Amino acid sequence: MGLDIGAVKIDYLDSPSGAAYRFAWHLAGQWDDRVWNVRSEGNAFMEFDFDHLVDVAEEYISSESLGSADAHQVMRWVRNLPWRRDVVMLHLNW
């Protein structure tokens, strides 16, 4: 067994606005046992696969009773994240 070592480089994204921004805050405040995540003092690293984040977004849209325009904004933000092989790791800092 070998030891893999990688350097983490964070490319900060432009902050979303409106409903997508509120969804990002929702992610920051949630602990999701279905994804790899690490949290400490106002920081979270969360690794999502595309299908799971779409499910989380759909659950959020439903639970918040978002209208069509806000729902589209959330889903557009999810689709436009920098996916690599259907995986994205987000660093959320507050």
Side-chain angles (χ1 to χ4, degrees), residues 2-67:
L3 174 65
D4 292 326
I5 300 171
V8 176
K9 178 182 180 249
I10 301 173
D11 293 322
Y12 285 100
L13 308 172
D14 293 334
S15 291
S17 61
Y21 182 76
R22 292 187 299 276
F23 175 64
W25 267 107
H26 170 78
L27 292 177
Q30 298 299 307
W31 183 269
D32 188 338
D33 288 330
R34 298 171 291 174
V35 301
W36 179 89
N37 61 90
V38 176
R39 295 170 181 272
S40 178
E41 299 180 23
N43 288 279
F45 282 95
M46 306 174 83
E47 186 175 82
F48 292 95
D49 68 44
F50 181 80
D51 291 337
H52 179 66
L53 190 53
V54 166
D55 289 345
V56 171
E58 289 174 345
E59 290 168 11
Y60 173 80
I61 290 165
S62 177
S63 71
E64 297 297 312
S65 301
L66 297 185

Side-chain angles (χ1 to χ4, degrees), residues 83-94:
W83 296 98
R84 292 189 182 123
R85 295 188 203 115
D86 289 337
V87 174
V88 67
M89 182 182 293
L90 300 177
H91 173 240
L92 305 169
N93 174 264
W94 59 95

